[in-house]
Amino acid sequence: RQGAGAAAATINRELSVLKRAFNLALQAEKITTKPYIPMLPEQNVRTGFFEYEEFTRLRDALPNFLQPVITFGYYTGWRISEVLNLQWRQVDLDAAEVRLDPGSTKSGEGRVIYLDGELLDAMKEQRAWVADLQRDWGEIVPWVFVNPETGEQVRDIRSRWNKACQHVGLTGRLFHDLRRTAVRNMVRAGVPEVVAMQISG
């Protein structure tokens, strides 16, 4: 695989599947022993963080309908799939909270976050904007983050994200960097790390 140009991380993911297969075979008593499968060292650990000024520069370089997506990621540390799949039934602006349903997260556990400051303001503006879209279209829009060009849920931001990153001199940054940033910022604000990790999932 290395000779074919596969990265160490790719090979390790493939080896993990092989290891799992041997474990299942062992549990099913199809085999009596399993081989030792060493993993390759990986040098691709990502350590990117966004400072607030970088976050605002990137946010402002994105189309208006994507700016609240980035704001939500910056403050909560949620995965991009969790952010984009968010529906209004999960948002209670009166109580200033957002809920992720059990089974909809990577861990399978539900989560609740409380909104305040810039994030609460962004969600209120998003609610008003989507309400205007509903009136114009004459139909209910269940999704929090909607593409006004298609009328559909925002499903992928990579192209616009990469273009905006390049435009503001942040080439190579990932949405995942917002997860690390959110946890770091919460810990700096005095939130226990275990709680910050639970909030971000």
Side-chain angles (χ1 to χ4, degrees), residues 5-181:
T10 300
I11 296 171
N12 282 345
R13 300 300 84 76
E14 295 169 351
L15 290 175
S16 294
V17 173
L18 192 59
K19 283 185 172 186
R20 178 65 176 153
F22 275 112
N23 286 334
L24 290 174
L26 196 61
Q27 291 170 13
E29 300 181 348
K30 300 289 186 183
I31 57 176
T32 56
T33 62
K34 62 178 183 178
Y36 169 68
I37 302 176
M39 307 295 274
L40 296 170
E42 295 183 34
Q43 304 297 326
N44 65 338
V45 177
R46 299 188 184 275
T47 58
F49 291 92
F50 278 94
E51 298 307 324
Y52 183 75
E53 179 272 334
E54 294 174 326
F55 151 66
T56 56
R57 271 198 294 134
L58 177 60
R59 181 190 61 192
D60 294 345
L62 287 162
N64 288 341
F65 74 93
L66 291 183
Q67 291 180 10
V69 173
I70 307 307
T71 301
F72 199 95
Y74 178 80
Y75 284 104
T76 67
W78 284 13
R79 294 174 180 85
I80 184 63
S81 59
E82 295 171 340
V83 176
L84 296 184
N85 287 323
L86 197 61
Q87 297 187 38
W88 286 114
R89 63 177 177 78
Q90 299 166 269
V91 179
D92 185 342
L93 291 178
D94 292 331
E97 66 180 32
V98 177
R99 295 180 176 273
L100 273 182
D101 301 327
S104 67
T105 66
K106 189 174 182 179
S107 67
E109 299 177 357
R111 297 203 301 277
V112 179
I113 62 155
Y114 297 94
L115 309 171
D116 65 359
E118 190 171 25
L119 179 55
L120 178 58
D121 292 341
M123 291 298 285
K124 287 180 177 178
E125 290 175 8
Q126 185 70 5
R127 175 71 269 189
W129 179 72
V130 172
D132 287 341
L133 290 181
Q134 290 183 149
R135 282 191 291 272
D136 292 342
W137 296 339
E139 60 184 74
I140 298 296
V141 177
W143 307 106
V144 173
F145 302 111
V146 184
N147 186 336
E149 299 168 1
T150 64
E152 298 178 350
Q153 169 195 10
V154 176
R155 297 185 181 277
D156 190 357
I157 69 168
R158 284 174 294 184
S159 176
R160 287 185 167 98
W161 169 279
N162 291 335
K163 184 177 180 180
C165 283
Q166 185 175 9
H167 179 70
V168 298
L170 296 171
T171 302
R173 295 297 185 88
L174 305 173
F175 190 91
H176 194 84
D177 294 336
L178 295 175
R179 286 174 56 72
R180 282 183 286 270
T181 301

Side-chain angles (χ1 to χ4, degrees), residues 175-196:
F175 190 91
H176 194 84
D177 294 336
L178 295 175
R179 286 174 56 72
R180 282 183 286 270
T181 301
V183 171
R184 180 200 64 181
N185 290 348
M186 285 184 245
V187 171
R188 284 180 175 177
V191 176
E193 186 171 359
V194 64
V195 175

